[in-house]
Amino acid sequence: MTPGDREYERAADEMAIRIRQTVPGNLVEKFGEQGGIEASDFSSCEPCSSHDTCAVDGSNTVLMESGSMALVLFRAAQSTFRNTERLRRSLSSLEFGIIGPGPDNEDFPVLYEECFGQAPGTPLKNDDRTRASGVLRDTLEYWVAEQMAAILDKGSLLLRDGPLRVSHASHDPVLSRIEDTCRARQIDLAGVSKRTSATWGGGHPLLPSVFGLAEAYGIPAPWWVRINPVILDHSQFPQWQHGRIYVACLHPQAKSPMKIELSKDLPESREKIIMDRLAACSGDGRIPGYPYPLFDAHRTVVLTEEITEQVRSDLIRRITGTGIRRQTFDILFGDYHDEFARY
């Protein structure tokens, strides 16, 4: 099957139809009927100056991979702003991890104890390399977030890139401690997700549905609305869900709304205050509608191709310096796809 032949055209047409079925022409009408959201449920944001806003983000990548193991690189960062001025920014060291070859990850308990002073309650399995790499990165993110929760001034806002939900059991008590610290020190906590797997009605995506409904009601951005979890199809790791779900469009020129999560026990009177603050820091002309402290944290932490290639080169030199034969190294980590691409 190649582009242009009949089987290819049929398969491509079927795929397009399947995608269209998730966002049918009457998506907004269906959501209006089944979602239970009225025009009065939308609230307007009133951007205002505020106390400090601290954003935490992480990055991870696979450096080398073989049949039995993968070598990964990860780090985390924070960026703190007061209105449009960056007050401070910090970046963790680059961390290495090996995923495999055994069933349990050997680097996770070492990293966890370095960050939190105790062993994790649950081991990290190596069976899913992508997830294991993400959990290692999340460990650093939660460590940075916990450090910032302890030093931010009263009235600050702490943002996490992603949901207020963990994907590994050992992070659940850490996120609970972060929430407790924020509550005790009167710091607001929010999770901001650019994308979400949340669907309703058997697979219809949540974000375009809510966005279309706001347009149909004539609700001008910036706005936010709370989402009743009953309307959602499913929830990832519901046992570790700490947040209450909202959808917000934080700027009139925003390309897309975002999923926002706030702590479940947050008083309703704080909802609008946090949303107003998020809107106030989402006016960056480069990416309107996205909080610029998170944008700055992302730019700080991202593992670019240049960084990855430099680290990979350094690592290869050190591995071969241990005395391993080049042929053995190529058998372990060589990629035939690189050879295929030459021909």
Side-chain angles (χ1 to χ4, degrees), residues 6 25 28 48 59 66 68 84 98 107 125-126 199 238 255-256 279 297 301 304 306 330 336:
R6 184 174 299 176
V28 174
C48 58
S59 184
S66 73
S68 60
T84 59
I98 297 179
D107 293 306
K125 298 299 180 182
N126 282 324
T199 60
K255 293 176 62 176
S256 171
V301 79
T304 63
E306 180 182 3
D330 288 341
Y336 271 108

Side-chain angles (χ1 to χ4, degrees), residues 32 61 89 131 166 203 208 238 250 260 274 301:
T61 188
R89 181 170 60 180
R131 179 170 182 262
V166 304
L250 298 173
I260 310 292
I274 295 174
V301 79

Side-chain angles (χ1 to χ4, degrees), residues 85-101:
E85 179 183 357
R86 185 197 301 127
L87 297 181
R88 55 181 173 268
R89 181 170 60 180
S90 58
L91 184 64
S92 76
S93 61
L94 287 167
E95 299 285 344
F96 294 93
I98 297 179
I99 301 175

Side-chain angles (χ1 to χ4, degrees), residues 7-50:
E7 284 300 308
Y8 170 84
E9 297 295 337
R10 180 190 59 79
D13 287 342
E14 288 182 358
M15 184 57 64
I17 291 171
R18 288 174 61 187
I19 297 299
R20 178 57 171 168
Q21 287 172 346
T22 67
V23 283
N26 63 342
L27 175 70
V28 174
E29 289 79 2
K30 289 181 63 175
F31 187 63
E33 294 170 359
Q34 301 177 31
I37 297 178
E38 305 292 338
S40 58
D41 295 320
F42 287 85
S43 298
S44 296
C45 297
E46 299 175 10
C48 58
S49 59
S50 60

Side-chain angles (χ1 to χ4, degrees), residues 108-122:
F108 179 60
V110 176
L111 176 68
Y112 192 97
E113 187 158 5
E114 287 178 351
C115 289
F116 307 119
Q118 63 187 66
T122 305

